[in-house]
Amino acid sequence: MLTREFVHTFREAAPYINAYRGKTFVLAMGGESLLDGDFSSMAQDINLLVSLGVRIVLVHGIRPQIETLLQRQGIAPQFHQQRRVTDAATMDIVKQAAGATRHDVEARLSMGMPHSPMHGAHLRVAGGNFVTAQPLGVLDGVDMQYTGQVRRVDAAAIRQRLDGGELVLLTPVGYSLTGESFNLTMEELATHAAIALKAEKLIFVVEGRGAVEQDSELISTLTAHQAEQLLQAGSLQDDVAACLPYCIRATREGIPRAHLVSRHQDGALLLEHFTRGGNGTMIARDPLVKVRHASIEDVGDILGLIRPLEEQGILVRRSRERLEVEIGEYSVLEHDGKIYGCVAMHPFPEAETAELACLAVSQEKRDGGFGEQLLKHVEYQARTQGLQSLFVLTTQTSHWFVERGFAEVDKSALPLTRQQFYNYQRRSKVLVKKL
């Protein structure tokens, strides 16, 4: 049993390993992770990602470290519009916190981990003046002083380090062209870095599991528009509400995916990216599920979907050659770039009808409503062609179609050209739906 589970898990992860090799992930982690020991296990997972060929830019925060040092020095923190007002004394504290925290992060990433899967691995960490900053200025009459904003990220220099197999570590302090230092926010820095690098992913490590509904159910996927609506509802945890606007911005400026993952769950970073279900919240600009016309490159995926159903006698066996000839009449359903369903529509314009055929959904997604999406897609296609009905021939799934508006008819109701190819051995039921 354990062997089968391992093989299944490894096979599930393999496509993601291949897809992420050579891609850039920007990982943003608050300073809290270094205070309670959670970063040690995440450091091991970061090492593992780098060993698999993922290019990592790690951005760390320093807010709790700053608060601790301010308290020791008896300096009262000042905020305006939820941003720290950084005077000269506070900037000295920021530099201390940034330096100490950076050393802690490098130390954890350099651990030998003798009893871990990364025993013997050596991760090189690179840093430098990669971030040019400028003052935030005066907001509502408040001089923000040494509180800054990102002006430019030196993407070329960072890529050079990544090309050498190094992890790039960014601290939320930027430098101006006049030689001054400015206090930056971790979220803004990570987002600018991801956009400048054209990263594959922007990942924020948060306190909870990610974005959750009011009933505490995890929201596994969001479009940018849905994320905006969730923010407007005002029911999110503070750190999720702080990160989500940056996720929205990143996806709308070309980053394919942004993620929220828990800092408290061991292996959360790996589970989110190497399992189909994930374990956090993924944000994308557009819906993750889409139905599109199939191309010749999709034939292999379609064969993989329909072969199990052919072996069970649910579908008529189709050869690769036949699929390639008829591929123009097929559509596929993609979820996050992977094909999980297919359907064909064979029109009979002389009879103002079309046959819905070869409807198949991957076993693991059959409870996700994908079959209905494919059906609606075919109905829309038929209507746009001016057809009046759809028909389907089935031996085992008639109830599913009846529940969706189809009615059983005699085979004589089929178009004459289709009646000639009716398989009397299968004795398929004929169902029709008026459009």
Side-chain angles (χ1 to χ4, degrees):
M1 180 63 72
L2 289 175
T3 301
R4 287 203 301 271
E5 289 177 2
F6 169 77
V7 171
H8 173 77
T9 303
F10 195 80
R11 285 174 174 167
E12 183 180 2
Y16 300 103
I17 295 171
N18 184 57
Y20 297 151
R21 187 178 296 115
K23 299 296 175 60
T24 300
F25 289 11
V26 175
L27 175 62
M29 173 194 69
E32 296 82 1
S33 295
L34 289 159
L35 296 178
D36 55 17
D38 285 340
F39 184 60
S40 293
S41 62
M42 185 165 287
Q44 177 179 324
D45 294 341
I46 291 170
N47 265 275
L48 179 57
L49 287 174
V50 174
S51 75
L52 293 173
V54 179
R55 297 149 60 94
I56 298 289
V57 176
L58 178 60
V59 184
H60 71 82
I62 52 174
R63 288 184 189 124
Q65 287 83 356
I66 293 173
E67 291 300 318
T68 299
L69 290 173
L70 286 173
Q71 189 175 14
R72 287 179 187 171
Q73 297 291 329
I75 302 173
Q78 302 175 62
F79 291 89
H80 178 67
Q81 294 185 3
Q82 299 182 321
R83 290 289 297 269
R84 188 185 300 280
V85 179
T86 312
D87 58 19
T90 302
M91 191 64 216
D92 286 339
I93 295 293
V94 168
K95 292 176 182 177
Q96 293 177 47
T101 304
R102 180 182 184 87
H103 284 302
D104 286 344
V105 173
E106 290 184 356
R108 304 285 180 86
L109 290 171
S110 302
M111 290 174 62
M113 294 177 271
H115 302 297
S116 79
M118 295 309 298
H119 174 58
H122 179 68
L123 177 62
R124 297 194 308 277
V125 180
N129 57 339
F130 297 126
V131 181
T132 303
Q134 62 189 24
L136 197 56
V138 179
L139 301 180
D140 303 322
V142 178
D143 186 355
M144 302 300 288
Q145 301 184 57
Y146 293 99
T147 299
Q149 58 187 335
V150 178
R151 181 175 179 180
R152 186 175 71 88
V153 173
D154 191 346
I158 293 175
R159 286 195 192 98
Q160 188 175 19
R161 296 303 186 103
L162 294 173
D163 290 343
E166 298 176 327
L167 177 146
V168 173
L169 182 60
L170 298 181
T171 297
V173 174
Y175 310 102
S176 72
L177 297 178
T178 57
E180 295 176 296
S181 300
F182 289 95
N183 181 23
L184 307 174
T185 66
M186 173 200 71
E187 295 86 355
E188 181 194 12
L189 175 56
T191 304
H192 273 272
I195 293 169
L197 291 165
K198 297 181 173 57
E200 181 74 10
K201 292 178 182 290
L202 170 62
I203 307 159
F204 288 105
V205 179
V206 296
E207 289 292 317
R209 295 175 296 162
V212 296
E213 303 271 16
Q214 291 183 344
D215 60 1
S216 298
E217 280 293 312
L218 177 68
I219 305 172
S220 61
T221 59
L222 286 168
T223 63
H225 178 66
Q226 289 170 333
E228 286 177 332
Q229 292 178 319
L230 203 57
L231 279 170
Q232 291 172 5
S235 60
L236 295 170
Q237 285 181 262
D238 289 344
D239 61 337
V240 172
C243 295
L244 213 47
Y246 293 98
C247 294
I248 295 167
R249 177 185 171 186
T251 56
R252 285 187 169 154
E253 293 199 32
I255 306 304
R257 302 286 183 266
H259 296 259
L260 304 174
V261 299
S262 172
R263 74 181 183 92
H264 294 295
Q265 183 179 0
D266 185 27
L269 194 58
L270 302 181
L271 287 168
E272 175 69 2
H273 293 96
F274 294 95
T275 62
R276 290 193 179 97
N279 73 327
T281 298
M282 178 166 62
I283 301 95
R285 187 187 67 179
D286 301 313
L288 296 180
V289 178
K290 65 178 181 180
V291 180
R292 62 169 174 80
H293 291 297
S295 68
I296 198 71
E297 288 79 16
D298 300 318
V299 169
D301 288 306
I302 294 173
L303 284 169
L305 285 169
I306 66 177
R307 281 293 179 251
L309 300 177
E310 291 174 348
E311 291 167 1
Q312 297 171 46
I314 297 173
L315 293 179
V316 176
R317 186 170 290 276
R318 292 164 172 80
S319 66
R320 175 180 283 272
E321 291 73 18
R322 179 182 170 185
L323 275 174
E324 291 176 352
V325 169
E326 297 179 348
I327 196 65
E329 298 180 348
Y330 279 77
S331 298
V332 293
L333 181 146
E334 285 185 338
H335 180 269
D336 197 19
K338 182 176 172 60
I339 292 176
Y340 285 101
C342 66
V343 70
M345 188 187 82
H346 306 305
F348 294 84
E350 72 284 357
E352 296 186 326
T353 189
E355 179 180 7
L356 184 151
C358 201
L359 177 60
V361 175
S362 177
Q363 176 71 42
E364 71 229 52
K365 296 290 185 180
R366 286 182 188 167
D367 295 328
F370 289 178
E372 292 195 44
Q373 287 184 252
L374 288 164
L375 171 58
K376 289 177 181 177
H377 173 76
V378 172
E379 289 177 355
Y380 174 78
Q381 293 294 113
R383 287 193 187 98
T384 58
Q385 294 183 30
L387 305 178
Q388 301 301 310
S389 65
L390 281 177
F391 69 88
V392 62
L393 277 70
T394 180
T395 58
Q396 300 181 35
T397 58
S398 59
H399 281 87
W400 189 89
F401 287 102
V402 169
E403 290 168 2
R404 288 154 181 80
F406 285 77
E408 186 173 354
V409 297
D410 188 77
K411 60 181 176 296
S412 61
L414 292 171
L416 292 176
T417 51
R418 184 63 180 86
Q419 288 184 41
Q420 297 173 7
F421 296 98
Y422 181 82
N423 188 330
Y424 285 90
Q425 290 184 326
R426 283 179 61 82
R427 298 180 61 189
S428 300
K429 292 183 178 181
V430 180
L431 297 102
V432 173
K433 181 175 183 178
K434 299 293 183 183
L435 300 176

